[in-house]
Amino acid sequence: MYKFSTNHYMESVNTLTFDIFGTVLNLSGSIVPRLEKLLRSCKAPQTIKGSEVWTYWRQRQRIEQYQENLLMLGHSGYLAIKKKSLIYTLRTKNIKFEDEQIEDFMSVYHDLIPFEDAVNGLYRLGKKYKLVILSNGEESFLKYLVEKKIGIDFHAIFSAEMVGQFKPHPSVYRFAAKNLNLEPNEIMMVASHSFDILGARHSGFRAAYINRYN
């Protein structure tokens, strides 16, 4: 019987590409408290909780990203999709809002905080591997988060914006491998989203799933 070997799986890997939203940065911990305040300011029923809206909103965001890829609608960008999905979610739940409330709330994305284990983990991994960001976020936004919130010296930052497709489109992973001048099996994608793991592995990457969502 074949026995899985971690050492064998990792022996070709010299570079780790990281999703950061939900893997390195604690989205729910950063956003749900502010979302609660938004719901109360919109006079949403007390029975509607921020955590419930957040779960639905995350799912809608992924649908929007998949639709852009499948229907070749162009690339709206991570923050634009986030805003569009939030509006869709609030309307679906019959929560009335003003445009100014949404604009003010979206500033929360510049206040994201890392998971407690993330920065120390990245520092330790950086002693052995090249660390790279491979994210659906916009390049300028990613650079801001690295400088202001994460504070780790990444080898490179690659945004889906550079390709014009959202992950898990194979072109995003191939773009990273090509620009790193590496074979796909030299790279391991690290993410807390199964779609990212699936996309990376089908593009030849190794992959590590981080269970952030229980």
Side-chain angles (χ1 to χ4, degrees):
M1 179 182 293
Y2 176 76
K3 293 183 178 180
F4 180 81
S5 169
T6 303
N7 290 336
H8 176 72
Y9 190 69
M10 292 292 295
E11 64 185 4
S12 64
V13 174
N14 56 55
T15 300
L16 305 178
T17 53
F18 282 85
D19 163 74
I20 65 167
F21 297 111
T23 304
V24 174
L25 295 169
N26 185 349
L27 292 186
S28 59
S30 303
I31 292 172
V32 170
R34 291 272 292 272
L35 188 54
E36 287 281 1
K37 292 181 180 179
L38 174 65
L39 294 174
R40 305 292 78 87
S41 71
C42 293
K43 296 180 170 52
Q46 291 291 331
T47 53
I48 298 180
K49 303 300 182 183
S51 56
E52 169 197 346
V53 173
W54 167 243
T55 298
Y56 190 99
W57 177 17
R58 282 182 61 242
Q59 292 170 345
R60 184 64 206 179
Q61 173 211 340
R62 292 181 185 175
I63 291 172
E64 295 286 346
Q65 291 174 341
Y66 298 156
Q67 283 181 166
E68 284 209 359
N69 283 358
L70 288 170
L71 302 178
M72 295 179 285
L73 298 176
H75 188 73
S76 298
Y78 178 82
L79 291 174
I81 286 288
K82 277 287 188 181
K83 180 180 174 182
K84 182 178 179 180
S85 304
L86 174 60
I87 290 171
Y88 182 101
T89 299
L90 295 176
R91 287 176 175 165
T92 298
K93 294 185 177 294
N94 296 313
I95 298 170
K96 298 186 183 301
F97 57 87
E98 300 293 334
D99 291 343
E100 293 79 9
Q101 290 174 296
I102 302 301
E103 292 297 333
D104 289 344
F105 171 78
M106 288 301 295
S107 66
V108 71
Y109 278 92
H110 287 79
D111 297 321
L112 300 177
I113 57 174
F115 286 100
E116 290 186 5
D117 62 355
V119 175
N120 182 51
L122 286 166
Y123 176 76
R124 290 168 59 197
L125 288 167
K127 295 179 179 180
K128 183 174 182 180
Y129 301 101
K130 289 181 181 177
L131 306 183
V132 173
I133 288 178
L134 182 56
S135 170
N136 278 333
E138 293 85 345
E139 183 181 10
S140 59
F141 182 39
L142 296 174
K143 288 179 177 178
Y144 164 83
L145 292 171
V146 167
E147 179 182 351
K148 301 296 185 181
K149 302 299 178 181
I150 303 175
I152 292 290
D153 186 18
F154 287 89
H155 177 73
I157 297 175
F158 296 127
S159 165
E161 179 184 41
M162 298 170 174
V163 182
Q165 300 279 2
F166 285 111
K167 293 184 296 180
H169 197 282
S171 61
V172 181
Y173 307 98
R174 291 168 183 164
F175 176 85
K178 180 178 179 181
N179 281 271
L180 290 168
N181 196 28
L182 296 173
E183 294 297 324
N185 69 346
E186 294 180 273
I187 306 170
M188 171 171 276
M189 184 73 214
V190 184
S192 61
H193 314 297
S194 57
F195 73 84
D196 212 345
I197 298 301
L198 182 67
R201 292 190 65 179
H202 278 271
S203 300
F205 284 36
R206 300 289 191 256
Y209 174 72
I210 310 300
N211 184 10
R212 295 295 195 193
Y213 298 101
N214 223 13

